[in-house]
Amino acid sequence: MKATAKAHPNIALIKYWGKRDQKFNLPAVGSISITLQEMATVSTVEFQPDLKDDILILNGTKAKQIESKRVSNFLDLIRAEASFDFRAKVNSENNFPTGAGLASSASAFASLAVAGSRAAGLALSKSKLSELARRGSGSAARSIWGGFVEMKIGERSDGSDAVALQLADENYWDVGVVVAITSEKYKNIGSTKAMNDTARTSPFYGQWVFSSQKDLEEMRSAIFSRNFHKVGELSEFSCLKMHAVTLSARPGIIYWNKVTIECIECIRQLRKNNTAVYFTIDAGPQVKALCLSKDKNLVKRTLQKIKGVKNVIINSPGSGAEILNE
Ligand code: PMV
């Protein structure tokens, strides 16, 4: 009744922003991501018959109630599937800042889906694991897979077809994702609330949803033809479009800080000087620079020089979530 799993976060190149259903956590748009190898969450889940409540230890300390509740709700799904009611002790550790727009919820819930289902004695397919991980966090559905991954919107109301699939594995393309950390604080507005506020109040939300189909098609074909400039250009476009729609909510949601903007300018300057590098940014102030592997050290050195950049992590395309031991 105990298992440990490791999962990596992912960064969306075509962004997920908006839900078509809250209960099953179904996305309003599809998304395409790349899994990040050097960043990881390792989670251990142990169901214990004599435990009264679930216990969550996050990065070595007892988690806040809001985080414990979210994990308990997630474990309820596994308990229902396994037809038992044992509480669990969960230990989860990230080797990077938590809740700061670095996709820690993606790697957390992907690792919990894999460890939790195994500890409960369930043998779930990758597709079922992706469906389960999605209930914890939409982007977690993608972290079940390595490499380049597409999350489908799906059509069914129970979400059984709203799952991620692999477009190309982690060895397909020698690219790098250089992550510049500009703040290690928790983000001021969580992605669920921000998405729902955006959907309710932004005059541009309908167009965001409508236009995503074309972005997905173009990104898929850019990845399949290994057209790096096209992948990069589409990534910046989808990122800026997502932030434009959040900025246009009422009140507007601003995830960036001034160092975020400096990183964007620095990346565009590198590009002017003929280094193929493009940025993307999730629901937080961190900047992820997508480049060819041969340029990742140059990109790291350049971003590191910006005052206010706290840390820079180089990533290669990462592997899917996996069991570490039983
Ligand atoms: O998985 P969530 O609910 O934290 O939402 C993730 C949203 C973005 O990171 C901003 C975009 C994405 O596709 O990962």
Side-chain angles (χ1 to χ4, degrees):
M1 302 227 87
K2 179 177 179 181
T4 299
K6 181 179 189 172
H8 301 282
N10 67 77
I11 174 79
L13 304 175
I14 298 297
K15 302 291 184 199
Y16 150 53
W17 197 253
K19 299 179 195 283
R20 74 177 162 89
D21 175 272
Q22 306 292 325
K23 178 170 178 236
F24 290 101
N25 200 24
L26 303 178
V29 293
S31 53
I32 294 179
S33 63
I34 179 168
T35 306
L36 306 178
Q37 182 64 19
E38 280 69 19
M39 291 155 67
T41 302
V42 173
S43 297
T44 300
V45 178
E46 183 173 13
F47 290 103
Q48 296 179 352
D50 49 354
L51 213 59
K52 271 182 49 206
D53 286 309
D54 292 320
I55 301 170
L56 171 63
I57 308 290
L58 188 54
N59 300 318
T61 45
K62 197 160 180 287
K64 293 189 224 134
Q65 219 212 327
I66 186 165
E67 290 158 339
S68 302
K69 181 89 186 91
R70 195 168 165 195
V71 167
S72 271
N73 290 345
F74 184 73
L75 293 175
D76 285 344
L77 302 171
I78 296 176
R79 287 187 272 258
E81 186 79 23
S83 307
F84 67 58
D85 202 27
F86 302 147
R87 303 288 110 182
K89 191 166 176 211
V90 178
N91 188 67
S92 193
E93 295 221 1
N94 296 324
N95 68 351
F96 61 95
T98 303
L102 284 168
S104 53
S105 66
S107 48
F109 284 101
S111 65
L112 286 175
V114 173
S117 58
R118 178 65 69 94
L122 301 168
L124 302 184
S125 65
K126 284 246 186 201
S127 184
K128 279 281 165 205
L129 284 169
S130 176
E131 189 185 340
L132 174 61
R134 188 202 69 232
R135 301 287 298 271
S137 165
S139 53
R142 299 186 307 238
S143 275
I144 294 297
W145 296 98
F148 292 86
V149 181
E150 176 164 1
M151 175 71 194
K152 295 285 180 192
I153 318 178
E155 286 172 357
R156 295 186 208 134
S157 54
D158 68 354
S160 54
D161 57 350
V163 296
L165 49 87
Q166 189 176 55
L167 296 177
D169 74 15
E170 54 272 32
N171 303 311
Y172 173 74
W173 204 356
D174 216 2
V175 297
V177 177
V178 181
V179 180
I181 298 175
T182 67
S183 165
E184 289 174 351
K185 292 198 201 107
Y186 266 65
K187 53 185 148 191
N188 49 13
I189 169 165
S191 49
T192 296
K193 177 163 169 35
M195 283 181 200
N196 292 340
D197 287 359
T198 305
R200 213 182 53 250
T201 61
S202 166
F204 306 135
Y205 181 73
Q207 188 58 30
W208 157 258
V209 173
F210 175 74
S211 63
S212 67
Q213 202 56 39
K214 185 161 174 276
D215 301 342
L216 290 164
E217 277 160 31
E218 288 187 13
M219 181 59 89
R220 236 178 268 132
S221 80
I223 290 171
F224 290 146
S225 58
R226 289 195 179 86
N227 183 340
F228 186 77
H229 290 283
K230 188 72 190 168
V231 167
E233 191 273 323
L234 283 166
S235 300
E236 282 194 8
F237 175 58
S238 177
C239 161
L240 292 175
K241 196 160 52 152
M242 182 202 109
H243 285 276
V245 79
T246 64
L247 283 166
S248 66
R250 290 174 84 165
I253 300 157
I254 305 172
Y255 279 116
W256 301 357
N257 60 36
K258 55 187 186 204
V259 188
T260 313
I261 312 259
E262 280 183 47
C263 290
I264 291 176
E265 282 169 2
C266 166
I267 287 166
R268 289 196 158 168
Q269 191 56 47
L270 273 169
R271 208 150 76 222
K272 271 202 189 130
N273 299 338
N274 290 323
T275 302
V277 53
Y278 295 82
F279 66 82
T280 185
I281 304 158
D282 276 341
Q286 329 300 359
V287 179
K288 290 92 176 182
L290 181 69
C291 61
L292 294 169
S293 191
K294 68 176 176 62
D295 294 324
K296 60 192 182 192
N297 289 318
L298 167 72
V299 172
K300 177 177 176 172
R301 277 198 309 277
T302 314
L303 286 170
Q304 233 162 8
K305 283 190 198 133
I306 297 173
K307 197 165 163 273
V309 168
K310 299 196 182 318
N311 193 9
V312 180
I313 308 169
I314 291 183
N315 284 274
S316 44
S319 48
E322 58 181 357
I323 285 286
L324 286 188
N325 57 45
E326 283 166 69

